[in-house]
Amino acid sequence: MNCKKCGVKAVINMRQHKLGLCKEHFLDWIPQQTQRFIEKYSMFAKDERILVAVSGGKDSLSLWDVLDRLGYHADGLYINLGFDNGTDYSLKSQQCAQTFAETRKLSLQVVAIEALEGFSIPEASRLTLRGQGRPCSVCGLAKRHILNRIAREQDYGVLVTGHNLDDEAAVLFGNTINWATGYLMRQSPVLEARSGLARKVKPFFRFYERETAAYALLRGIDYIHDECPYATGATSLYYKELLNTMEAKQPGAKLSFFLSFLRAKESGFLGEGSSDDLRELRVCQSCGQPTTAADTCAYCRTWEQIRSRRPKAVEGRHT
Ligand code: AMP
Ligand code: FES
Ligand code: ZN
Ligand code: ZN
């Protein structure tokens, strides 16, 4: 397969687009497409202050790189979740994010959950009912809360994440087989700001994971290759495998699944208010962040519960 633009040997064949590209043209194509998606889905403007949620992985670092190349003003935020027991996952991923920012002179904030709340995510997960099995739910809750809080407190116009098509299609698959209509209503590459919730967008949602990985490798970005230590056996990985099996037989299946969903939603398939979550939001009496609960948000309730269960030996670590 040769490059469609210049005819030299292609480094990547994107079967869903019937498009092969050489290194140089692929490294141009990714930012061009990103800019096209930013405009097509009205994601953000050139003068907006953008906060990129950076995990140290290929998607978020490639996204930050592309936004910088396109001339956007994008700062990074890395959350250290404390996944270091035996794996050094957090330490390594933080180093990748910091090295990336330093070499490009970009601004990166680092927030460590242990410094903020007194416990790492694995410790917290063990101390709460939410931690039965994997720490994913308390981890997801903490990430959503901290990202939103910092984006709002520091007046960023938009919060961007590195979710790619494989992530989005797997979530859509899970939501569809469970007919989780509430989640289906909220699944979108652009979530508008409302009552205390920052605007959230996913500029890479149309790229396949292999494309963001190829971009990171070809740009020489040093990213953490390991998955989160708790990912093994996760349902989302199983859904990704199923979708990859479909994709192998029918190139473009993943993209078409997701884009058809967006079109169906747009045409009112999910009923009134399909592009927004219409549940009323209140203000958490403890932290001031938005919540659907009557008084205290899930994040505050979870940490209260964790602190109430802390073993005597760690009393006083958090005041
Ligand atoms: P994941 O849920 O790990 O697939 O990550 C999806 C996106 O969430 C990433 O592309 C990042 O934009 C963001 N993200 C994940 N983990 C972190 C983290 N520790 N700190 C900041 N952002 C994160
Ligand atoms: Fe949060 Fe895996 S449990 S990233
Ligand atoms: Zn070429
Ligand atoms: Zn709260």
Side-chain angles (χ1 to χ4, degrees):
M1 156 83 54
N2 289 334
C3 174
K4 196 169 185 172
K5 310 246 164 165
C6 69
V8 311
K9 196 171 180 322
V11 291
I12 188 161
N13 176 16
M14 293 171 283
R15 293 209 296 158
Q16 77 281 16
H17 301 308
K18 296 190 178 62
L19 178 65
L21 291 173
C22 69
K23 176 176 172 180
E24 186 198 332
H25 285 117
F26 178 67
L27 291 180
D28 285 345
W29 183 81
I30 292 278
Q32 281 159 7
Q33 291 297 304
T34 309
Q35 181 59 33
R36 189 168 79 81
F37 303 151
I38 291 170
E39 286 167 20
K40 181 173 166 67
Y41 298 94
S42 307
M43 290 184 167
F44 39 76
K46 269 270 146 73
D47 56 357
E48 231 161 327
R49 284 182 70 236
I50 300 167
L51 184 64
V52 188
V54 179
S55 66
K58 61 185 184 323
D59 302 304
S60 50
L61 287 181
S62 295
L63 174 59
W64 202 8
D65 180 77
V66 166
L67 293 179
D68 186 42
R69 284 180 68 194
L70 289 169
Y72 287 97
H73 178 110
D75 298 336
L77 171 61
Y78 170 86
I79 303 170
N80 185 310
L81 303 157
F83 287 159
D84 279 325
N85 216 340
T87 60
D88 281 349
Y89 175 79
S90 291
L91 188 76
K92 285 197 234 156
S93 54
Q94 180 172 331
Q95 271 167 1
C96 289
Q98 279 174 323
T99 307
F100 178 93
E102 278 158 22
T103 51
R104 287 162 167 80
K105 304 213 172 355
L106 291 168
S107 155
L108 175 74
Q109 287 184 67
V110 174
V111 173
I113 194 82
E114 194 164 350
L116 201 66
E117 301 296 350
F119 297 92
S120 69
I121 292 294
E123 281 175 328
S125 153
R126 274 193 291 277
L127 290 170
T128 172
L129 283 180
R130 287 176 175 276
Q132 279 173 349
R134 295 165 195 283
C136 305
S137 78
V138 69
C139 170
L141 181 68
K143 283 194 285 197
R144 283 193 300 278
H145 179 95
I146 294 168
L147 290 171
N148 188 65
R149 191 164 74 197
I150 293 191
R152 299 260 315 152
E153 281 175 2
Q154 299 182 8
D155 266 337
Y156 282 96
V158 64
L159 172 66
V160 307
T161 54
H163 293 95
N164 59 41
L165 182 76
D166 294 56
D167 299 327
E168 293 302 298
V171 171
L172 176 59
F173 190 74
N175 288 341
T176 306
I177 58 173
N178 292 308
W179 287 119
T181 48
Y183 287 120
L184 285 168
M185 280 184 191
R186 261 172 291 160
Q187 193 175 355
S188 169
V190 177
L191 285 174
E192 294 303 336
R194 66 187 187 104
S195 16
L197 288 177
R199 193 155 191 279
K200 296 193 191 85
V201 309
K202 301 169 181 171
F204 271 10
F205 84 100
R206 288 177 64 149
F207 290 135
Y208 283 35
E209 196 167 293
R210 65 187 282 270
E211 292 157 14
T212 61
Y215 181 85
L217 282 172
L218 294 169
R219 281 283 288 168
I221 295 171
D222 188 15
Y223 64 90
I224 179 140
H225 290 252
D226 310 340
E227 290 272 0
C228 146
Y230 301 94
T232 323
T235 327
S236 59
L237 287 189
Y238 169 62
Y239 292 156
K240 281 185 179 178
E241 280 167 24
L242 286 176
L243 290 163
N244 283 338
T245 308
M246 278 169 63
E247 181 77 25
K249 289 223 170 242
Q250 193 193 332
K254 279 189 281 199
L255 186 59
S256 141
F257 175 50
F258 196 73
L259 294 183
S260 308
F261 159 71
L262 291 185
R263 273 194 300 273
K265 197 154 78 125
E266 192 89 333
S267 69
F269 162 73
L270 286 165
E272 281 291 305
S274 58
S275 63
D276 207 348
D277 175 9
L278 296 179
R279 283 182 306 168
E280 196 194 329
L281 289 178
R282 299 186 180 88
V283 173
C284 168
Q285 287 169 9
S286 175
C287 70
Q289 287 237 76
T291 176
T292 49
D295 44 22
T296 313
C297 74
Y299 179 87
C300 292
R301 271 186 280 124
T302 302
W303 287 104
E304 261 167 40
Q305 188 188 50
I306 291 161
R307 280 181 207 115
S308 74
R309 291 180 182 187
R310 81 181 115 186
K312 285 275 174 283
V314 293
E315 290 273 352
R317 270 173 58 181
H318 186 269
T319 48

mmCIF file of all heavy atoms in Angstrom, residues 252-281:
data_model
loop_
_atom_site.group_PDB
_atom_site.id
_atom_site.type_symbol
_atom_site.label_atom_id
_atom_site.label_comp_id
_atom_site.label_asym_id
_atom_site.label_seq_id
_atom_site.Cartn_x
_atom_site.Cartn_y
_atom_site.Cartn_z
ATOM 1 N N GLY A 252 -14.647 -0.182 9.159
ATOM 2 C CA GLY A 252 -15.520 0.979 9.308
ATOM 3 C C GLY A 252 -16.700 0.704 10.232
ATOM 4 O O GLY A 252 -17.471 1.613 10.534
ATOM 5 N N ALA A 253 -16.836 -0.565 10.712
ATOM 6 C CA ALA A 253 -18.003 -0.915 11.538
ATOM 7 C C ALA A 253 -18.072 -0.070 12.813
ATOM 8 O O ALA A 253 -19.151 0.407 13.195
ATOM 9 C CB ALA A 253 -17.954 -2.404 11.895
ATOM 10 N N LYS A 254 -16.920 0.134 13.451
ATOM 11 C CA LYS A 254 -16.919 0.894 14.717
ATOM 12 C C LYS A 254 -17.335 2.350 14.480
ATOM 13 O O LYS A 254 -18.155 2.892 15.208
ATOM 14 C CB LYS A 254 -15.494 0.906 15.314
ATOM 15 C CG LYS A 254 -15.143 -0.356 16.058
ATOM 16 C CD LYS A 254 -13.832 -0.221 16.810
ATOM 17 C CE LYS A 254 -12.628 -0.371 15.934
ATOM 18 N NZ LYS A 254 -11.388 -0.685 16.659
ATOM 19 N N LEU A 255 -16.752 2.929 13.423
ATOM 20 C CA LEU A 255 -17.040 4.338 13.129
ATOM 21 C C LEU A 255 -18.509 4.512 12.765
ATOM 22 O O LEU A 255 -19.200 5.408 13.253
ATOM 23 C CB LEU A 255 -16.138 4.814 11.982
ATOM 24 C CG LEU A 255 -16.205 6.293 11.637
ATOM 25 C CD1 LEU A 255 -15.823 7.160 12.831
ATOM 26 C CD2 LEU A 255 -15.271 6.632 10.463
ATOM 27 N N SER A 256 -19.009 3.599 11.945
ATOM 28 C CA SER A 256 -20.392 3.706 11.500
ATOM 29 C C SER A 256 -21.363 3.494 12.676
ATOM 30 O O SER A 256 -22.375 4.182 12.787
ATOM 31 C CB SER A 256 -20.596 2.703 10.360
ATOM 32 O OG SER A 256 -21.826 2.108 10.434
ATOM 33 N N PHE A 257 -21.018 2.558 13.578
ATOM 34 C CA PHE A 257 -21.837 2.319 14.771
ATOM 35 C C PHE A 257 -21.984 3.622 15.563
ATOM 36 O O PHE A 257 -23.089 4.037 15.925
ATOM 37 C CB PHE A 257 -21.160 1.233 15.624
ATOM 38 C CG PHE A 257 -21.801 0.935 16.951
ATOM 39 C CD1 PHE A 257 -23.163 0.685 17.069
ATOM 40 C CD2 PHE A 257 -21.019 0.868 18.110
ATOM 41 C CE1 PHE A 257 -23.747 0.387 18.306
ATOM 42 C CE2 PHE A 257 -21.584 0.572 19.346
ATOM 43 C CZ PHE A 257 -22.942 0.334 19.445
ATOM 44 N N PHE A 258 -20.861 4.309 15.773
ATOM 45 C CA PHE A 258 -20.914 5.507 16.603
ATOM 46 C C PHE A 258 -21.558 6.690 15.876
ATOM 47 O O PHE A 258 -22.404 7.391 16.437
ATOM 48 C CB PHE A 258 -19.518 5.888 17.119
ATOM 49 C CG PHE A 258 -19.610 6.863 18.258
ATOM 50 C CD1 PHE A 258 -20.046 6.448 19.514
ATOM 51 C CD2 PHE A 258 -19.331 8.201 18.082
ATOM 52 C CE1 PHE A 258 -20.193 7.342 20.559
ATOM 53 C CE2 PHE A 258 -19.472 9.108 19.128
ATOM 54 C CZ PHE A 258 -19.888 8.676 20.364
ATOM 55 N N LEU A 259 -21.193 6.881 14.619
ATOM 56 C CA LEU A 259 -21.756 8.041 13.894
ATOM 57 C C LEU A 259 -23.257 7.857 13.644
ATOM 58 O O LEU A 259 -24.027 8.821 13.695
ATOM 59 C CB LEU A 259 -21.002 8.278 12.582
ATOM 60 C CG LEU A 259 -19.531 8.720 12.729
ATOM 61 C CD1 LEU A 259 -18.906 8.990 11.364
ATOM 62 C CD2 LEU A 259 -19.386 9.955 13.624
ATOM 63 N N SER A 260 -23.674 6.606 13.401
ATOM 64 C CA SER A 260 -25.116 6.363 13.200
ATOM 65 C C SER A 260 -25.883 6.656 14.484
ATOM 66 O O SER A 260 -27.002 7.160 14.461
ATOM 67 C CB SER A 260 -25.393 4.915 12.801
ATOM 68 O OG SER A 260 -24.592 4.562 11.728
ATOM 69 N N PHE A 261 -25.250 6.318 15.628
ATOM 70 C CA PHE A 261 -25.877 6.625 16.916
ATOM 71 C C PHE A 261 -26.072 8.140 17.067
ATOM 72 O O PHE A 261 -27.143 8.604 17.446
ATOM 73 C CB PHE A 261 -25.018 6.064 18.062
ATOM 74 C CG PHE A 261 -25.260 6.723 19.398
ATOM 75 C CD1 PHE A 261 -26.447 6.503 20.098
ATOM 76 C CD2 PHE A 261 -24.314 7.562 19.965
ATOM 77 C CE1 PHE A 261 -26.682 7.128 21.323
ATOM 78 C CE2 PHE A 261 -24.532 8.193 21.187
ATOM 79 C CZ PHE A 261 -25.719 7.974 21.868
ATOM 80 N N LEU A 262 -25.017 8.908 16.726
ATOM 81 C CA LEU A 262 -25.139 10.376 16.865
ATOM 82 C C LEU A 262 -26.252 10.912 15.975
ATOM 83 O O LEU A 262 -27.023 11.780 16.380
ATOM 84 C CB LEU A 262 -23.810 11.065 16.518
ATOM 85 C CG LEU A 262 -22.641 10.869 17.491
ATOM 86 C CD1 LEU A 262 -21.449 11.724 17.050
ATOM 87 C CD2 LEU A 262 -23.020 11.232 18.927
ATOM 88 N N ARG A 263 -26.345 10.353 14.747
ATOM 89 C CA ARG A 263 -27.403 10.818 13.823
ATOM 90 C C ARG A 263 -28.782 10.450 14.356
ATOM 91 O O ARG A 263 -29.707 11.246 14.327
ATOM 92 C CB ARG A 263 -27.197 10.201 12.425
ATOM 93 C CG ARG A 263 -26.251 11.026 11.551
ATOM 94 C CD ARG A 263 -26.343 10.599 10.097
ATOM 95 N NE ARG A 263 -25.988 9.197 9.910
ATOM 96 C CZ ARG A 263 -24.723 8.776 9.729
ATOM 97 N NH1 ARG A 263 -23.726 9.631 9.700
ATOM 98 N NH2 ARG A 263 -24.468 7.488 9.583
ATOM 99 N N ALA A 264 -28.917 9.227 14.891
ATOM 100 C CA ALA A 264 -30.216 8.781 15.415
ATOM 101 C C ALA A 264 -30.630 9.661 16.595
ATOM 102 O O ALA A 264 -31.797 10.044 16.733
ATOM 103 C CB ALA A 264 -30.123 7.318 15.843
ATOM 104 N N LYS A 265 -29.657 9.988 17.432
ATOM 105 C CA LYS A 265 -29.938 10.835 18.598
ATOM 106 C C LYS A 265 -30.397 12.226 18.149
ATOM 107 O O LYS A 265 -31.362 12.775 18.665
ATOM 108 C CB LYS A 265 -28.676 10.940 19.457
ATOM 109 C CG LYS A 265 -28.951 11.420 20.851
ATOM 110 C CD LYS A 265 -27.896 10.944 21.800
ATOM 111 C CE LYS A 265 -26.642 11.761 21.674
ATOM 112 N NZ LYS A 265 -26.246 12.326 22.962
ATOM 113 N N GLU A 266 -29.675 12.743 17.160
ATOM 114 C CA GLU A 266 -29.998 14.066 16.600
ATOM 115 C C GLU A 266 -31.427 14.096 16.060
ATOM 116 O O GLU A 266 -32.142 15.073 16.199
ATOM 117 C CB GLU A 266 -29.014 14.335 15.457
ATOM 118 C CG GLU A 266 -29.011 15.730 14.950
ATOM 119 C CD GLU A 266 -28.015 16.608 15.717
ATOM 120 O OE1 GLU A 266 -27.709 16.344 16.898
ATOM 121 O OE2 GLU A 266 -27.576 17.547 15.128
ATOM 122 N N SER A 267 -31.854 12.976 15.471
ATOM 123 C CA SER A 267 -33.180 12.964 14.864
ATOM 124 C C SER A 267 -34.274 12.661 15.891
ATOM 125 O O SER A 267 -35.432 12.472 15.532
ATOM 126 C CB SER A 267 -33.235 11.960 13.711
ATOM 127 O OG SER A 267 -33.142 10.663 14.244
ATOM 128 N N GLY A 268 -33.897 12.592 17.179
ATOM 129 C CA GLY A 268 -34.912 12.475 18.225
ATOM 130 C C GLY A 268 -35.239 11.048 18.625
ATOM 131 O O GLY A 268 -36.230 10.800 19.297
ATOM 132 N N PHE A 269 -34.371 10.093 18.248
ATOM 133 C CA PHE A 269 -34.601 8.681 18.573
ATOM 134 C C PHE A 269 -34.814 8.445 20.068
ATOM 135 O O PHE A 269 -35.597 7.599 20.482
ATOM 136 C CB PHE A 269 -33.403 7.864 18.044
ATOM 137 C CG PHE A 269 -33.246 6.506 18.620
ATOM 138 C CD1 PHE A 269 -34.106 5.483 18.281
ATOM 139 C CD2 PHE A 269 -32.189 6.220 19.497
ATOM 140 C CE1 PHE A 269 -33.937 4.214 18.811
ATOM 141 C CE2 PHE A 269 -32.024 4.960 20.028
ATOM 142 C CZ PHE A 269 -32.899 3.957 19.679
ATOM 143 N N LEU A 270 -34.099 9.242 20.884
ATOM 144 C CA LEU A 270 -34.211 9.036 22.334
ATOM 145 C C LEU A 270 -35.266 9.945 22.962
ATOM 146 O O LEU A 270 -35.345 10.073 24.171
ATOM 147 C CB LEU A 270 -32.851 9.265 22.999
ATOM 148 C CG LEU A 270 -31.841 8.139 22.779
ATOM 149 C CD1 LEU A 270 -30.440 8.591 23.152
ATOM 150 C CD2 LEU A 270 -32.202 6.897 23.569
ATOM 151 N N GLY A 271 -36.047 10.609 22.120
ATOM 152 C CA GLY A 271 -37.134 11.439 22.629
ATOM 153 C C GLY A 271 -36.693 12.850 22.935
ATOM 154 O O GLY A 271 -35.583 13.263 22.629
ATOM 155 N N GLU A 272 -37.581 13.581 23.592
ATOM 156 C CA GLU A 272 -37.339 14.985 23.943
ATOM 157 C C GLU A 272 -36.065 15.136 24.760
ATOM 158 O O GLU A 272 -35.776 14.312 25.616
ATOM 159 C CB GLU A 272 -38.509 15.505 24.798
ATOM 160 C CG GLU A 272 -39.744 15.860 23.994
ATOM 161 C CD GLU A 272 -39.526 17.079 23.130
ATOM 162 O OE1 GLU A 272 -39.142 18.112 23.675
ATOM 163 O OE2 GLU A 272 -39.736 16.967 21.907
ATOM 164 N N GLY A 273 -35.341 16.202 24.506
ATOM 165 C CA GLY A 273 -34.152 16.495 25.302
ATOM 166 C C GLY A 273 -33.050 15.484 25.094
ATOM 167 O O GLY A 273 -32.244 15.244 25.969
ATOM 168 N N SER A 274 -33.022 14.848 23.915
ATOM 169 C CA SER A 274 -32.087 13.753 23.728
ATOM 170 C C SER A 274 -30.623 14.186 23.758
ATOM 171 O O SER A 274 -29.765 13.379 24.005
ATOM 172 C CB SER A 274 -32.374 13.041 22.411
ATOM 173 O OG SER A 274 -32.271 13.961 21.362
ATOM 174 N N SER A 275 -30.349 15.458 23.507
ATOM 175 C CA SER A 275 -28.945 15.850 23.503
ATOM 176 C C SER A 275 -28.491 16.378 24.865
ATOM 177 O O SER A 275 -27.391 16.814 25.032
ATOM 178 C CB SER A 275 -28.700 16.914 22.441
ATOM 179 O OG SER A 275 -29.441 18.055 22.784
ATOM 180 N N ASP A 276 -29.351 16.311 25.834
ATOM 181 C CA ASP A 276 -28.955 16.854 27.137
ATOM 182 C C ASP A 276 -29.546 16.002 28.256
ATOM 183 O O ASP A 276 -30.514 15.289 28.069
ATOM 184 C CB ASP A 276 -29.478 18.302 27.252
ATOM 185 C CG ASP A 276 -28.608 19.117 28.187
ATOM 186 O OD1 ASP A 276 -27.770 18.514 28.896
ATOM 187 O OD2 ASP A 276 -28.785 20.328 28.224
ATOM 188 N N ASP A 277 -28.929 16.106 29.403
ATOM 189 C CA ASP A 277 -29.482 15.430 30.568
ATOM 190 C C ASP A 277 -30.341 16.446 31.297
ATOM 191 O O ASP A 277 -29.861 17.476 31.743
ATOM 192 C CB ASP A 277 -28.322 14.977 31.452
ATOM 193 C CG ASP A 277 -28.816 14.366 32.738
ATOM 194 O OD1 ASP A 277 -30.032 14.149 32.865
ATOM 195 O OD2 ASP A 277 -27.994 14.112 33.609
ATOM 196 N N LEU A 278 -31.637 16.157 31.389
ATOM 197 C CA LEU A 278 -32.527 17.187 31.926
ATOM 198 C C LEU A 278 -32.757 17.078 33.434
ATOM 199 O O LEU A 278 -33.579 17.794 33.985
ATOM 200 C CB LEU A 278 -33.863 17.132 31.172
ATOM 201 C CG LEU A 278 -33.732 17.463 29.678
ATOM 202 C CD1 LEU A 278 -35.068 17.361 28.976
ATOM 203 C CD2 LEU A 278 -33.149 18.851 29.470
ATOM 204 N N ARG A 279 -32.028 16.155 34.067
ATOM 205 C CA ARG A 279 -32.233 16.066 35.511
ATOM 206 C C ARG A 279 -31.799 17.365 36.174
ATOM 207 O O ARG A 279 -30.786 17.945 35.812
ATOM 208 C CB ARG A 279 -31.412 14.911 36.098
ATOM 209 C CG ARG A 279 -32.055 13.562 35.825
ATOM 210 C CD ARG A 279 -31.255 12.461 36.446
ATOM 211 N NE ARG A 279 -29.871 12.514 36.027
ATOM 212 C CZ ARG A 279 -28.895 11.810 36.596
ATOM 213 N NH1 ARG A 279 -29.153 11.020 37.602
ATOM 214 N NH2 ARG A 279 -27.665 11.885 36.151
ATOM 215 N N GLU A 280 -32.567 17.764 37.174
ATOM 216 C CA GLU A 280 -32.257 19.035 37.839
ATOM 217 C C GLU A 280 -30.990 18.904 38.672
ATOM 218 O O GLU A 280 -30.770 17.896 39.334
ATOM 219 C CB GLU A 280 -33.438 19.381 38.762
ATOM 220 C CG GLU A 280 -33.436 20.802 39.214
ATOM 221 C CD GLU A 280 -34.412 20.993 40.363
ATOM 222 O OE1 GLU A 280 -35.420 20.282 40.410
ATOM 223 O OE2 GLU A 280 -34.118 21.866 41.202
ATOM 224 N N LEU A 281 -30.144 19.929 38.622
ATOM 225 C CA LEU A 281 -28.914 19.886 39.414
ATOM 226 C C LEU A 281 -29.030 20.836 40.599
ATOM 227 O O LEU A 281 -29.534 21.945 40.472
ATOM 228 C CB LEU A 281 -27.710 20.279 38.553
ATOM 229 C CG LEU A 281 -27.276 19.266 37.496
ATOM 230 C CD1 LEU A 281 -26.109 19.805 36.689
ATOM 231 C CD2 LEU A 281 -26.893 17.931 38.128
#
